[in-house]
Amino acid sequence: MTSSPTIDAGRVRQALSGRRAVVLPNPAPLTYVVAATAPRAVNLAKSRPADQAVALWVHHSRTADTVFDALDLGPDLAAAARRLLTEERVTLLAPLREHHPLPDWLEPAAKDGWTLLFGARWTPLLPVVREHPVLYVSSANRTGHPPAATASAARAMFPDDVPVLDPASLPGTEEEPTGTPRAATTTVRLRTDGSLDLHRGGAQDRTHAGAGTYLDHLRTAYGLPGGQARP
């Protein structure tokens, strides 16, 4: 395997339009992600089974509205879920309504009555992804490797046909200090009754003293059951 070139936003747009996988940056403390308009492309880029479930990137308002219509969440919980995705930038496992027909494009992110959603909306990246209302996403790693925290790590990990977007080519970005700790997003499960579980630890929860402390923080900050009222 040779290292893939780091390229600009225009060439990444071209790759996405061609249903190819691309590697995209996130701001610290998140690692890079691999994204595509086809779930198969995401999985093959990661060197895993082509039909494996992937997360849906709910970066587009029209897509988000359709997804939330399919969730088994009341209005208050749905509002909290939107904030968890966009403000907390967690990956969210959310319950699907029973017997509710799903659009074909949501099926790859659905399994056993749940859907996996990724909601980070980094402003400098939005012009690159907003022209594709449906995108699938996963951590930027190949099987057996940790997620890429830098463009150079992604270049070394992915083959040449998976372009890596140079964050310096995006207007509005600033150079981050070297050695900034990064990790994949924390994944939480939000149940129909509003209860929360930590499904997978990651960047957001690691600064808290254990999973319970982080979940308590989410309950309080986002108005979920069990949270303590703010003074």
Side-chain angles (χ1 to χ4, degrees):
M1 181 187 303
T2 58
S3 59
S4 58
T6 302
I7 64 173
D8 62 26
R11 292 178 62 192
V12 164
R13 286 193 186 97
Q14 185 178 31
L16 285 173
S17 295
R19 297 178 66 82
R20 293 164 51 201
V22 300
V23 174
L24 302 174
N26 278 303
L30 303 181
T31 49
Y32 283 51
V33 293
V34 57
T37 60
R40 177 183 178 87
V42 171
N43 285 323
L44 293 181
K46 289 171 64 76
S47 190
R48 67 186 193 183
D51 60 352
Q52 187 164 325
V54 291
L56 179 75
W57 197 345
V58 286
H59 65 90
H60 195 283
S61 59
R62 187 168 70 246
T63 304
D65 289 345
T66 302
V67 170
F68 273 81
D69 282 344
L71 299 185
D72 191 9
L73 297 174
D76 290 343
L77 290 181
R82 286 182 184 264
R83 293 184 60 206
L84 286 169
L85 287 166
T86 58
E87 298 175 25
E88 193 72 15
R89 293 175 172 169
V90 296
T91 298
L92 184 68
L93 270 167
L96 291 166
R97 291 165 55 190
E98 192 173 2
H99 306 308
H100 182 82
L102 300 181
D104 291 344
W105 49 261
L106 186 53
E107 292 284 358
K111 185 178 180 181
D112 299 331
W114 297 85
T115 186
L116 186 63
L117 307 173
F118 178 77
R121 298 184 187 184
W122 188 31
T123 300
L125 192 60
L126 288 180
V128 178
V129 299
R130 67 161 57 103
E131 61 195 81
H132 299 287
V134 174
L135 281 174
Y136 304 95
V137 64
S138 186
S139 300
N141 66 295
R142 287 168 70 83
T143 301
H145 296 269
T150 64
S152 59
R155 286 197 305 267
M157 195 181 311
F158 287 90
D160 289 342
D161 62 350
V162 180
V164 178
L165 177 59
D166 182 358
S169 72
L170 298 174
T173 60
E174 297 180 359
E175 186 175 353
E176 294 177 348
T178 58
T180 303
R182 289 176 179 258
T185 59
T186 297
T187 301
V188 297
R189 186 189 301 269
L190 177 61
R191 301 181 184 276
T192 301
D193 62 2
S195 59
L196 276 178
D197 299 322
L198 184 68
H199 182 76
R200 185 192 69 187
Q204 289 87 343
D205 67 281
R206 67 180 179 179
T207 59
H208 293 259
T213 301
Y214 179 63
L215 293 175
D216 284 342
H217 154 71
L218 294 183
R219 294 181 187 107
T220 298
Y222 297 96
L224 293 166
Q228 306 208 355
R230 294 179 184 271

Coordinates of all heavy atoms in Angstrom, one line a residue, residues 141-192:
N141 N -10.2 4.6 10.0 CA -9.2 3.6 10.3 C -9.5 2.3 9.5 O -10.6 2.1 9.1 CB -9.2 3.2 11.8 CG -10.5 2.5 12.2 OD1 -11.5 3.1 12.2 ND2 -10.3 1.3 12.6
R142 N -8.4 1.6 9.2 CA -8.6 0.3 8.6 C -8.5 -0.8 9.7 O -8.0 -0.5 10.8 CB -7.5 0.1 7.5 CG -7.8 0.9 6.3 CD -6.7 0.9 5.3 NE -6.5 -0.3 4.6 CZ -7.1 -0.7 3.5 NH1 -8.1 0.0 3.0 NH2 -6.8 -1.9 3.0
T143 N -9.1 -1.9 9.4 CA -9.2 -3.0 10.4 C -7.9 -3.2 11.1 O -6.8 -3.4 10.5 CB -9.7 -4.3 9.8 OG1 -10.9 -4.1 9.1 CG2 -9.8 -5.4 10.8
G144 N -7.9 -3.2 12.5 CA -6.7 -3.4 13.3 C -5.9 -2.2 13.6 O -4.9 -2.3 14.3
H145 N -6.3 -1.0 13.1 CA -5.6 0.2 13.3 C -6.4 1.2 14.1 O -7.7 1.3 13.9 CB -5.1 0.9 12.0 CG -4.2 0.0 11.2 ND1 -2.8 0.1 11.4 CD2 -4.4 -1.0 10.3 CE1 -2.2 -0.8 10.6 NE2 -3.2 -1.4 9.9
P146 N -5.8 2.1 14.9 CA -6.6 3.2 15.6 C -7.0 4.2 14.6 O -6.4 4.4 13.5 CB -5.6 3.7 16.6 CG -4.3 3.5 16.0 CD -4.4 2.2 15.3
P147 N -8.1 5.0 14.9 CA -8.5 6.1 13.9 C -7.4 7.1 13.7 O -6.6 7.4 14.7 CB -9.7 6.7 14.7 CG -10.2 5.6 15.6 CD -9.0 4.9 16.0
A148 N -7.3 7.6 12.5 CA -6.3 8.6 12.2 C -6.5 9.9 12.9 O -7.6 10.5 12.7 CB -6.2 8.8 10.7
A149 N -5.5 10.4 13.6 CA -5.6 11.7 14.3 C -5.1 12.8 13.4 O -5.3 14.0 13.7 CB -4.9 11.6 15.6
T150 N -4.3 12.5 12.4 CA -3.7 13.5 11.5 C -3.8 13.1 10.1 O -4.1 11.9 9.8 CB -2.2 13.7 11.9 OG1 -1.5 12.4 11.5 CG2 -2.0 14.0 13.3
A151 N -3.6 14.1 9.2 CA -3.7 13.8 7.8 C -2.6 12.8 7.4 O -2.8 11.9 6.5 CB -3.6 15.1 7.0
S152 N -1.4 13.0 7.9 CA -0.3 12.1 7.6 C -0.6 10.6 8.0 O -0.3 9.7 7.3 CB 1.0 12.6 8.2 OG 0.9 12.6 9.6
A153 N -1.2 10.5 9.2 CA -1.6 9.1 9.6 C -2.6 8.5 8.7 O -2.6 7.3 8.3 CB -2.1 9.1 11.0
A154 N -3.6 9.3 8.2 CA -4.6 8.8 7.3 C -3.9 8.5 5.9 O -4.3 7.5 5.3 CB -5.7 9.9 7.1
R155 N -3.0 9.3 5.5 CA -2.3 9.0 4.2 C -1.6 7.7 4.2 O -1.6 6.9 3.3 CB -1.3 10.1 3.9 CG -1.9 11.4 3.4 CD -0.9 12.3 2.7 NE 0.3 12.6 3.5 CZ 0.4 13.6 4.3 NH1 -0.6 14.5 4.4 NH2 1.5 13.8 5.1
A156 N -1.0 7.4 5.4 CA -0.2 6.2 5.5 C -1.1 4.9 5.6 O -0.7 3.8 5.3 CB 0.7 6.2 6.7
M157 N -2.4 5.1 6.0 CA -3.3 4.0 6.3 C -4.1 3.6 5.1 O -4.4 2.4 4.9 CB -4.2 4.4 7.5 CG -4.9 3.2 8.1 SD -6.0 3.7 9.5 CE -4.9 4.7 10.5
F158 N -4.6 4.6 4.3 CA -5.5 4.3 3.3 C -4.8 4.3 1.9 O -3.8 4.9 1.7 CB -6.6 5.4 3.3 CG -7.6 5.3 4.4 CD1 -7.3 5.9 5.6 CD2 -8.7 4.5 4.3 CE1 -8.2 5.8 6.7 CE2 -9.6 4.4 5.4 CZ -9.3 5.0 6.6
P159 N -5.4 3.5 1.0 CA -4.8 3.4 -0.3 C -5.0 4.7 -1.2 O -5.7 5.6 -0.8 CB -5.5 2.2 -1.0 CG -6.8 2.2 -0.3 CD -6.6 2.7 1.1
D160 N -4.3 4.7 -2.3 CA -4.3 5.9 -3.1 C -5.7 6.3 -3.6 O -5.9 7.5 -3.9 CB -3.4 5.7 -4.3 CG -1.9 5.7 -4.0 OD1 -1.6 6.1 -2.8 OD2 -1.1 5.2 -4.8
D161 N -6.6 5.4 -3.8 CA -7.9 5.8 -4.3 C -8.9 6.3 -3.3 O -10.0 6.6 -3.5 CB -8.6 4.6 -5.0 CG -8.8 3.4 -4.1 OD1 -8.3 3.4 -3.0 OD2 -9.5 2.5 -4.5
V162 N -8.4 6.5 -2.0 CA -9.1 7.1 -0.9 C -8.4 8.5 -0.6 O -7.5 8.5 0.2 CB -9.2 6.2 0.3 CG1 -10.0 6.9 1.4 CG2 -9.9 4.9 0.0
P163 N -8.9 9.6 -1.2 CA -8.2 10.8 -1.0 C -8.4 11.4 0.4 O -9.5 11.1 1.1 CB -8.8 11.8 -2.0 CG -10.2 11.2 -2.3 CD -10.0 9.7 -2.2
V164 N -7.4 12.1 0.9 CA -7.5 12.6 2.3 C -7.5 14.2 2.1 O -6.7 14.8 1.5 CB -6.2 12.2 3.1 CG1 -6.2 12.9 4.4 CG2 -6.1 10.7 3.2
L165 N -8.5 14.8 2.7 CA -8.7 16.2 2.6 C -7.7 16.9 3.6 O -7.7 16.6 4.8 CB -10.1 16.6 3.0 CG -10.5 18.1 3.0 CD1 -10.2 18.7 1.6 CD2 -11.9 18.3 3.4
D166 N -7.0 17.9 3.0 CA -6.1 18.7 3.8 C -6.9 19.8 4.5 O -7.5 20.6 3.9 CB -5.1 19.3 2.9 CG -4.1 20.2 3.6 OD1 -4.2 20.3 4.9 OD2 -3.1 20.7 3.0
P167 N -7.0 19.8 5.9 CA -7.8 20.8 6.6 C -7.3 22.2 6.3 O -8.1 23.2 6.4 CB -7.6 20.4 8.0 CG -6.4 19.5 8.1 CD -6.3 18.8 6.8
A168 N -6.0 22.4 6.0 CA -5.5 23.7 5.7 C -6.1 24.3 4.4 O -6.0 25.5 4.2 CB -4.0 23.6 5.5
S169 N -6.7 23.5 3.6 CA -7.3 24.0 2.4 C -8.7 24.5 2.6 O -9.4 25.1 1.7 CB -7.4 22.9 1.3 OG -8.4 21.9 1.6
L170 N -9.2 24.4 3.9 CA -10.6 24.8 4.2 C -10.5 26.2 4.8 O -9.8 26.5 5.8 CB -11.2 23.9 5.2 CG -11.4 22.4 4.7 CD1 -11.9 21.6 5.9 CD2 -12.4 22.4 3.6
P171 N -11.3 27.2 4.2 CA -11.3 28.5 4.8 C -11.9 28.5 6.2 O -12.8 27.7 6.6 CB -12.3 29.3 3.9 CG -12.3 28.5 2.6 CD -12.1 27.1 3.0
G172 N -11.3 29.3 7.1 CA -11.7 29.4 8.5 C -11.1 28.4 9.4 O -11.5 28.4 10.6
T173 N -10.1 27.6 9.0 CA -9.4 26.7 9.9 C -8.2 27.4 10.4 O -7.6 28.2 9.8 CB -9.0 25.4 9.2 OG1 -8.2 25.7 8.1 CG2 -10.3 24.7 8.7
E174 N -7.8 26.9 11.6 CA -6.5 27.4 12.2 C -5.7 26.2 12.5 O -6.1 25.2 12.8 CB -6.8 28.2 13.5 CG -7.7 29.5 13.3 CD -8.0 30.2 14.6 OE1 -7.5 29.7 15.6 OE2 -8.6 31.2 14.5
E175 N -4.4 26.5 12.5 CA -3.4 25.4 12.8 C -3.5 25.1 14.3 O -3.5 25.9 15.1 CB -2.0 25.8 12.4 CG -1.0 24.7 12.6 CD 0.4 25.1 12.1 OE1 0.5 26.2 11.5 OE2 1.3 24.3 12.3
E176 N -3.7 23.8 14.6 CA -3.8 23.3 15.9 C -2.4 22.9 16.5 O -1.5 22.5 15.7 CB -4.7 22.1 16.0 CG -6.1 22.5 15.7 CD -7.0 21.3 15.7 OE1 -6.5 20.1 15.8 OE2 -8.3 21.4 15.7
P177 N -2.2 23.1 17.8 CA -0.9 22.7 18.4 C -0.6 21.2 18.1 O -1.5 20.4 18.1 CB -1.1 23.0 19.9 CG -2.3 23.9 20.0 CD -3.1 23.6 18.8
T178 N 0.6 20.9 17.8 CA 1.0 19.5 17.6 C 0.8 18.7 18.9 O 1.0 19.3 20.0 CB 2.5 19.4 17.1 OG1 3.3 20.0 18.1 CG2 2.7 20.1 15.8
G179 N 0.4 17.5 18.7 CA 0.2 16.6 19.9 C -1.1 16.8 20.6 O -1.3 16.3 21.7
T180 N -2.1 17.5 19.9 CA -3.4 17.7 20.5 C -4.0 16.3 20.6 O -4.2 15.6 19.6 CB -4.3 18.6 19.6 OG1 -3.6 19.8 19.5 CG2 -5.6 18.7 20.3
P181 N -4.4 15.8 21.8 CA -5.0 14.5 22.0 C -6.3 14.4 21.2 O -7.1 15.3 21.2 CB -5.2 14.4 23.5 CG -4.4 15.4 24.1 CD -4.3 16.5 23.1
R182 N -6.5 13.3 20.5 CA -7.7 13.0 19.7 C -8.2 11.6 19.9 O -7.4 10.7 20.3 CB -7.4 13.3 18.2 CG -7.2 14.7 17.8 CD -6.9 14.8 16.4 NE -6.7 16.2 15.9 CZ -7.5 16.9 15.3 NH1 -8.7 16.4 15.0 NH2 -7.3 18.2 14.9
A183 N -9.4 11.4 19.7 CA -10.0 10.1 19.7 C -11.3 10.1 18.9 O -11.8 11.2 18.5 CB -10.4 9.7 21.2
A184 N -11.8 8.9 18.5 CA -13.1 8.8 17.8 C -14.2 9.3 18.8 O -14.0 9.4 20.0 CB -13.3 7.4 17.4
T185 N -15.3 9.6 18.2 CA -16.4 10.1 19.0 C -17.0 9.1 20.0 O -17.0 7.9 19.7 CB -17.6 10.6 18.1 OG1 -18.1 9.5 17.3 CG2 -17.2 11.7 17.2
T186 N -17.4 9.6 21.1 CA -18.1 8.8 22.1 C -19.4 8.4 21.5 O -20.1 9.2 20.8 CB -18.3 9.6 23.4 OG1 -17.1 9.9 24.0 CG2 -19.2 8.8 24.4
T187 N -19.8 7.1 21.7 CA -21.2 6.7 21.2 C -22.1 6.4 22.4 O -21.7 5.7 23.3 CB -21.0 5.4 20.4 OG1 -20.2 5.6 19.3 CG2 -22.4 4.9 19.9
V188 N -23.2 7.1 22.4 CA -24.2 6.9 23.5 C -25.5 6.4 22.9 O -25.8 6.6 21.7 CB -24.5 8.2 24.3 CG1 -23.2 8.6 25.0 CG2 -25.0 9.3 23.4
R189 N -26.2 5.6 23.7 CA -27.5 5.1 23.3 C -28.6 5.8 24.1 O -28.5 5.9 25.3 CB -27.6 3.6 23.6 CG -28.9 2.9 23.1 CD -29.1 1.5 23.6 NE -27.9 0.6 23.2 CZ -27.9 -0.1 22.1 NH1 -29.0 -0.1 21.3 NH2 -26.9 -0.8 21.9
L190 N -29.5 6.4 23.3 CA -30.7 7.1 23.9 C -31.9 6.3 23.7 O -32.3 6.0 22.6 CB -30.8 8.5 23.3 CG -32.0 9.3 23.8 CD1 -32.0 9.6 25.3 CD2 -32.1 10.6 23.0
R191 N -32.5 5.9 24.8 CA -33.7 5.0 24.8 C -35.0 5.8 24.7 O -35.0 7.0 25.0 CB -33.7 4.0 25.9 CG -32.5 3.1 26.0 CD -32.5 2.2 27.1 NE -31.2 1.4 27.2 CZ -31.0 0.3 26.5 NH1 -31.9 -0.1 25.7 NH2 -29.8 -0.3 26.6
T192 N -36.1 5.1 24.4 CA -37.4 5.8 24.2 C -37.8 6.5 25.5 O -38.5 7.5 25.5 CB -38.4 4.7 23.8 OG1 -38.0 4.2 22.6 CG2 -39.8 5.4 23.6

